Amino acid sequence: SFLKIYDDSDLDVNYKPIDVVETSDGFIILAGTELSKSDFAGVRLLKLDEEGNYEFDRNLDDYVVPVGGMYLNEADSNSYFFVMDPTSLEAVLIGVNPQLEVQTEALVPGINYPLSSASLSSGNLLLQSYDPLNQATEISEIGLDGGYIGGSSYSIGPGDDVEEEIINHYLNASER
């Protein structure tokens, strides 16, 4: 294990690492960051070289709540992860190349409150989310183009404050 501190000339920046992937020329860190315009965490990507040294970073200003489970697709060298649209609260699939340029930006309609994700052996992604209308946890298979392939819903059982707890989860991400 190692410890590396990444400094920023903007002293107000606060990173909360969510995930990291190794690329052919280094690493990409997916991080949450504080936003002045929202209570949700913003999305920041950091590019590191093979030694773990900082090269550059990029904010994805239009999105919030970066979700862990970033996946490097070796076929196109893009790293894929989910974020949330701050207006609709729907999941958005983002794919970035090693230079942190967005290659895929696909809203996943009807999939709200993205919580966690994982990659499947097929190359597709699995996304856990919350459906506030049916008060259910959803597990969805999503293609790398953002297309919904299929999924299942699971009742969360009795309780009235589930949506509030999920919002608090997003707002208090630094306390996890």
Side-chain angles (χ1 to χ4, degrees):
S1 76
F2 71 95
L3 172 67
K4 189 85 168 179
I5 296 175
Y6 299 100
D7 200 3
D8 194 293
S9 60
D10 181 357
L11 299 177
D12 292 334
V13 171
N14 183 6
Y15 304 119
K16 296 174 183 70
I18 306 292
D19 211 339
V20 62
V21 294
E22 185 174 4
T23 65
S24 60
D25 63 346
F27 302 89
I28 296 174
I29 294 177
L30 173 64
T33 188
E34 291 180 17
L35 295 175
S36 60
K37 64 182 181 180
S38 174
D39 289 332
F40 292 124
V43 181
R44 190 164 211 161
L45 297 166
L46 288 84
K47 176 66 175 157
L48 312 177
D49 67 15
E50 302 89 359
E51 304 284 318
N53 297 311
Y54 172 88
E55 290 186 330
F56 56 92
D57 61 64
R58 177 174 184 174
N59 286 325
L60 298 181
D61 295 325
D62 294 335
Y63 301 109
V64 295
V65 186
V67 176
M70 191 165 44
Y71 163 68
L72 174 66
N73 180 14
E74 293 182 12
D76 64 10
S77 299
N78 290 337
S79 297
Y80 293 88
F81 57 94
F82 290 96
V83 295
M84 187 170 74
D85 180 282
T87 305
S88 69
L89 307 178
E90 291 177 302
V92 177
L93 176 65
I94 301 289
V96 296
N97 66 18
Q99 292 73 43
L100 306 184
E101 299 165 332
V102 175
Q103 304 296 304
T104 302
E105 189 172 11
L107 183 72
V108 186
I111 305 294
N112 293 21
Y113 298 116
L115 297 169
S116 64
S117 68
S119 61
L120 298 170
S121 60
S122 65
N124 293 325
L125 301 173
L126 204 58
L127 177 63
Q128 178 191 12
S129 60
Y130 174 68
D131 176 357
L133 297 176
N134 296 310
Q135 292 190 327
T137 294
E138 294 186 334
I139 305 295
S140 305
E141 184 175 354
I142 309 295
L144 294 183
D145 61 356
Y148 177 83
I149 296 170
S152 297
S153 290
Y154 302 92
S155 171
I156 56 151
D160 296 331
D161 298 334
V162 174
E163 190 168 4
E164 179 182 348
E165 291 299 322
I166 289 173
I167 295 293
N168 287 337
H169 165 80
Y170 288 142
L171 299 179
N172 299 318
S174 64
E175 296 176 10
R176 284 185 269 143

